[in-house]
Amino acid sequence: MSTSRDLTRVAFSGLAARKMRTVLLLLGPMIGVAAIVAAVGLTDSAKGDLKAKVAELGTNLIEASAASAFGQSSPTLPIDAVERAATVTTVESVSSIRQLSNVVVTPYTEALEQFDTVPIPVLAADADLPRVLEVGLVSGRWLDDFDESSRARVAVIGQALAAEFSYLPGENRTVELAGFPYAVIGVLEKVPLEPGFDNAVFVPFAAVADDFLDEDPVEPNKLYVRCQTGTEDLTSEALSVAVGLGGPTQISSEVKSEALELAAESDRQLQLIVVSMGLLAIVVGGLGIANVMSISVIQRSAEIGIRRALGHTRRIIALQFLLEAIAVGVVGGILGVLLGMLAIFVGVSAAGWVFVMAGWLAPAGVALAVVISVLAGSYPAVRAARLEPLETLRLG
Amino acid sequence: MITPFLELRSVSRVYGSGDTEVRALDGVSLAVMPGDFVSIVGPSGSGKSTMLGLLGCLDAPSDGTIVVDGEDVSRVADASRTRVRGRSIGFVFQQFHLIPHLDALSNVETALLYRGIRPGERRDRSLAALDRVGLAHRHDHRPVQLSGGEQQRVALARALVTEPKILLADEPTGALDSKNAANVMEILAGLRSSERAVVLVTHDVGIADSAARKISMLDGRIVSDEVLRP
Ligand SMILES: Nc1ncnc2c1ncn2[C@@H]1O[C@H](COP(=O)(O)OP(=O)(O)O)[C@@H](O)[C@H]1O
Ligand SMILES: [Mg+2]
């Protein structure tokens, strides 16, 4: 018992006496563990945020798009796609949109040059879209049936676009769509499952037929469908059949929350890279420990010799060196965990997530650093123990 | 009958083999009794250090028997020799061999590590040993902050803090000026007691003659063994 206390005491006093060297030894395990803890913690936090989002939005939103059609460059869905989708019994609500290309959006006529660099998506949307997506409006109102029947030039814009155009809530203003003035009647809230909508302009189908397309009525190219929770996969398959039946168009359906989770998978790839780099840093740090301690054994051979002469056994000498390495591992590991937690905290604060860190992460980080340092320290420790006192002391 | 603290019986130590074979020690017999104060002299290469290494359990003989403090250490494992070393022997070297990053007190304390001694007691005993060599007031100085004479006195304190029965010194004054040498010799002579034997290797005739018994070596053999004073 007292022997292990003596060993610990000597190991720490040896490290304290050679501060520069100790700091250098600590860097490897510290940076490695910090990288791993940060990578795992940040992806967990992101995943936690995603889960919260999905839980909030519901998992039962399905997107059915026109995927490919014979002889059509931008495939569309049948004109009665919404009615067809509604025939699927597990479907609760449906909304359709048509994505337009090449409609230049500017806040006012003179601003054409200033704003034509970043394309702003323009979509025809029906009256049900906010209800199906379960989002509200920041101000004003959504497009309604009267806008369709009166063929009004009205538009709802996304929240980010409103900010970009300095649109004030309730302001009487128009935006220019390919030169046509559209009255802004509302601003849509953020749609977490469709981040692109934040920057988009929504107009009635009838206005699109009048101003932008050579078709009337305008066919949709995408449906948003809410189904009974738990029937996502079933509904998604049924939709492809029900909507595409008898036509040339292939329908691809996907559950939106799954798409989101798929996107999170790519984060996991990043996590894997960062964790690998952390492991590499620890291994390199371990090699550094092995190297520095091997040099140390040579430099301290006289000290080892005198300790042996004083009655310290080979075992004690080996343990002493090993313990110095372990102390580096423990301290480096703890500092690495703290540094990693700091990185998670900074990242989480910047992203507005909730701090998530698995309970096993801290002990695992320290344990990893200790294991590496034990491996790194054992070779120099054995070398130190093998030194013959007479050879290192060289009597007169 | 008093048993010797150290006993060599026809001990040889051979380095190398064949053409390069060196008989550093060649069939030496010797007994060192409690209370002895022995100086070993002889030309360079005559085997003095080799003998001291064997007496101090730092080395094993090629042939013959070595008994240290009642224990036959001729053909035992390293761990056993290490144990006897720690229990019965104190060393002083020409080059002091203090640990550079430790202060005087910690250097002395090193001899008491791993013996199940509590830190408080270890410190008290080490301070007392430093006091015996007149250096208690410099206990917090590191070796570089001490003169050669002071460093050798710290080394002496380290050797005697374990209360060893046998004190072995290899040219303990070899790296010191005459004033410091005299000081160290005075302390060494003062350590002589009926419970202890002191053996020192030296080149210095004056120092050799200040011992109670003088052993002369040549070519790995003892050529004379004289009692100078009882
Ligand atoms: N490790 C060794 N390997 C080979 N020869 C050695 C070794 N140590 C000592 N010797 C030889 O043994 C002889 C006695 O050496 P040593 O005991 O150091 O003599 P002294 O201390 O009297 O000068 C010398 O010839 C020396 O070269
Ligand atoms: Mg010699």
Side-chain angles (χ1 to χ4, degrees):
Chain A
M1 223 29 243
S2 70
T3 296
S4 61
R5 190 185 50 202
D6 287 353
L7 282 165
T8 314
R9 187 184 284 248
V10 172
F12 276 101
S13 81
L15 288 172
R18 289 172 282 259
K19 289 194 181 61
M20 263 314 285
R21 169 181 166 278
T22 304
V23 167
L24 288 176
L25 286 179
L26 285 173
L27 279 180
M30 191 172 101
I31 291 170
V33 169
I36 291 169
V37 167
V40 175
L42 276 173
T43 27
D44 280 358
S45 298
K47 217 163 33 183
D49 183 63
L50 182 78
K51 279 208 184 110
K53 253 189 210 164
V54 169
E56 191 185 316
L57 301 166
T59 54
N60 60 339
L61 183 69
I62 298 169
E63 180 187 295
S65 322
S68 68
F70 188 74
Q72 244 183 316
S73 60
S74 44
T76 53
L77 299 172
I79 190 69
D80 58 347
V82 170
E83 288 75 30
R84 285 173 177 231
T87 62
V88 176
T89 53
T90 51
V91 166
E92 288 178 341
S93 57
V94 191
S95 169
S96 63
I97 61 161
R98 169 67 176 268
Q99 293 158 307
L100 305 177
S101 47
N102 302 324
V103 177
V104 176
V105 181
T106 54
Y108 41 86
T109 319
E110 304 79 52
L112 192 63
E113 261 144 54
Q114 207 185 324
F115 282 90
D116 67 351
T117 45
V118 186
I120 294 164
V122 176
L123 308 99
D126 64 22
D128 293 326
L129 188 64
R131 194 163 57 81
V132 174
L133 293 179
E134 290 171 8
V135 286
L137 289 142
V138 177
S139 65
R141 63 168 180 85
W142 183 249
L143 310 165
D144 61 20
D145 292 341
F146 183 72
D147 296 326
E148 288 287 353
S149 58
S150 64
R151 311 188 82 83
R153 279 186 178 143
V154 290
V156 172
I157 60 179
Q159 204 177 333
L161 189 64
E164 196 191 332
F165 283 0
S166 314
Y167 176 81
L168 303 171
E171 189 186 359
N172 275 325
R173 240 177 82 176
T174 57
V175 289
E176 302 268 335
L177 304 186
F180 298 105
Y182 276 70
V184 177
I185 56 167
V187 175
L188 187 69
E189 274 180 357
K190 273 188 198 304
V191 187
L193 286 172
E194 277 297 10
F197 281 6
D198 206 25
N199 204 36
V201 179
F202 304 86
V203 294
F205 276 89
V208 167
D210 292 343
D211 293 341
F212 311 120
L213 289 178
D214 283 337
E215 35 179 293
D216 194 8
V218 169
E219 290 172 334
N221 71 342
K222 195 186 259 191
L223 298 182
Y224 289 99
V225 177
R226 282 281 173 191
C227 66
Q228 291 162 12
T229 302
T231 67
E232 289 83 5
D233 292 339
L234 207 81
T235 311
S236 157
E237 269 176 50
L239 276 175
S240 301
V241 179
V243 177
L245 195 70
T249 311
Q250 293 265 306
I251 313 294
S252 87
S253 301
E254 64 174 22
V255 181
K256 283 305 275 186
S257 59
E258 279 173 9
L260 214 63
E261 274 157 18
L262 219 63
E265 279 303 313
S266 67
D267 286 355
R268 202 155 314 162
Q269 304 266 311
L270 189 70
Q271 177 192 27
L272 207 68
I273 293 170
V274 179
V275 168
S276 309
M277 273 163 35
L279 282 174
L280 192 72
I282 291 186
V283 169
V284 170
L287 289 175
I289 292 175
N291 186 39
V292 170
M293 291 196 60
S294 293
I295 295 169
S296 187
V297 168
I298 296 165
Q299 284 172 342
R300 289 160 74 183
S301 60
E303 175 186 335
I304 294 163
I306 188 65
R307 285 182 187 275
R308 296 278 287 117
L310 292 173
H312 299 182
T313 57
R314 289 190 197 277
R315 202 174 123 263
I316 288 285
I317 300 289
L319 282 174
Q320 199 63 79
F321 272 84
L322 202 58
L323 221 70
E324 224 178 277
I326 291 173
V328 167
V330 170
V331 175
I334 289 172
L335 290 178
V337 167
L338 291 178
L339 195 68
M341 285 173 72
L342 185 73
I344 301 174
F345 184 76
V346 168
V348 159
S349 307
W353 301 332
V354 177
F355 185 100
V356 177
M357 190 175 145
W360 56 267
L361 201 50
V366 176
L368 183 63
V370 170
V371 166
I372 291 288
S373 59
V374 167
L375 291 178
S378 28
Y379 171 67
V382 167
R383 267 186 56 171
R386 284 205 182 132
L387 286 180
E388 284 293 342
L390 261 190
E391 278 166 25
T392 66
L393 289 173
R394 244 178 287 123
L395 301 182
Chain B
M1 198 194 114
I2 308 167
T3 49
F5 273 174
L6 298 169
E7 200 178 355
L8 303 185
R9 288 183 219 135
S10 312
V11 168
S12 297
R13 179 63 169 100
V14 181
Y15 291 111
S17 61
D19 285 353
T20 60
E21 185 182 282
V22 178
R23 296 190 77 80
L25 216 58
D26 193 6
V28 168
S29 294
L30 169 74
V32 177
M33 308 306 288
D36 255 354
F37 185 27
V38 186
S39 67
I40 300 172
V41 294
S44 187
S46 58
K48 307 183 295 291
S49 296
T50 301
M51 189 160 88
L52 207 71
L54 288 166
L55 291 173
C57 300
L58 289 170
D59 196 8
S62 311
D63 200 13
T65 303
I66 304 178
V67 181
V68 174
D69 193 14
E71 203 161 325
D72 187 338
V73 294
S74 321
R75 261 156 289 274
V76 299
D78 180 83
S80 299
R81 273 193 284 124
T82 304
R83 184 174 42 75
V84 174
R85 214 151 61 211
R87 184 193 64 200
S88 308
I89 294 166
F91 286 101
V92 179
F93 304 100
Q94 182 177 7
Q95 299 303 331
F96 326 135
H97 286 314
L98 296 180
I99 298 170
H101 69 264
L102 299 179
D103 63 19
L105 180 65
S106 302
N107 263 290
V108 177
E109 283 185 318
T110 303
L112 294 180
L113 286 171
Y114 319 120
R115 288 166 183 260
I117 298 170
R118 275 181 293 106
E121 187 192 339
R122 185 159 64 213
R123 187 186 159 85
D124 291 346
R125 282 175 63 176
S126 301
L127 276 172
L130 277 175
D131 197 36
R132 259 164 100 180
V133 300
L135 282 176
H137 62 294
R138 315 213 63 173
H139 67 89
D140 56 350
H141 286 56
R142 288 196 293 129
V144 286
Q145 298 167 301
L146 299 170
S147 73
E150 287 170 328
Q151 288 187 55
Q152 192 61 303
R153 278 149 69 195
V154 173
L156 264 169
R158 178 178 64 188
L160 60 88
V161 73
T162 58
E163 298 295 343
K165 291 185 178 161
I166 302 143
L167 201 64
L168 301 179
D170 195 26
E171 303 272 10
T173 59
L176 303 178
D177 60 38
S178 56
K179 189 171 150 283
N180 277 309
N183 187 246
V184 164
M185 280 311 296
E186 202 179 310
I187 296 168
L188 266 177
L191 290 174
R192 187 187 172 191
S193 84
S194 58
E195 305 300 316
R196 180 178 287 130
V198 179
V199 178
L200 69 100
V201 166
T202 183
H203 264 104
D204 189 308
V205 182
I207 284 172
D209 289 340
S210 72
R213 176 180 168 194
K214 184 165 103 177
I215 292 172
S216 302
M217 296 189 67
L218 187 67
D219 294 336
R221 293 166 196 268
I222 293 177
V223 290
S224 79
D225 186 346
E226 38 186 329
V227 175
L228 302 177
R229 50 187 69 82

